[in-house]
Amino acid sequence: YCSKAAARQMVAQGEGGRIVNLSSTMGKSGRPNTSAYNAANFAVDGFTQSMAKELGEQAITVNSVCPGLVETARLDPMGRTDKWDARIAEIPLKRAAADEEIGEMIGFLCSPRAAYITGQSINVNGGVITER
């Protein structure tokens, strides 16, 4: 709903704009026991592609950012478990992302430097998923 509302306003203003949806690497590759979450994120990426094609003529770019594992305050109560260590071991850079790293990608996609990037679902995941 937010993306559609933003698009309507940008079209009405006639000056173009940037829409960045937040997805997940779970929208690129499924994991066991996460089918609903995977499906929702696959949908965000497809929605992003459709909107990009619909809004391109109005100079509106639409992309999604697909974070992998992110170190956040929400994870603090979980502690560092064997499950956490196993997830980190899957990441080629051997660490979770900082939330600022996700924000920096979003900021870039909103900048004039990203004016020719649209319809993309960009992984920010330390190399866990390198395609799609």
Side-chain angles (χ1 to χ4, degrees), residues 11-79:
V11 169
Q13 289 176 331
E15 298 175 12
R18 307 279 185 269
I19 296 173
V20 180
N21 296 311
L22 194 58
S23 182
S24 168
T25 56
M26 300 283 270
K28 305 285 186 95
S29 178
R31 291 182 73 93
N33 306 311
T34 60
S35 58
Y37 185 71
N38 290 123
N41 285 287
F42 272 91
V44 169
D45 294 340
F47 175 74
T48 295
Q49 291 174 10
S50 294
M51 282 192 80
K53 291 179 180 180
E54 294 166 1
L55 297 171
E57 289 183 12
Q58 285 82 32
I60 299 169
T61 64
V62 186
N63 295 289
S64 63
V65 172
C66 305
L69 194 60
V70 180
E71 184 79 40
T72 67
R74 179 182 70 94
L75 295 174
D76 287 344
M78 294 173 56

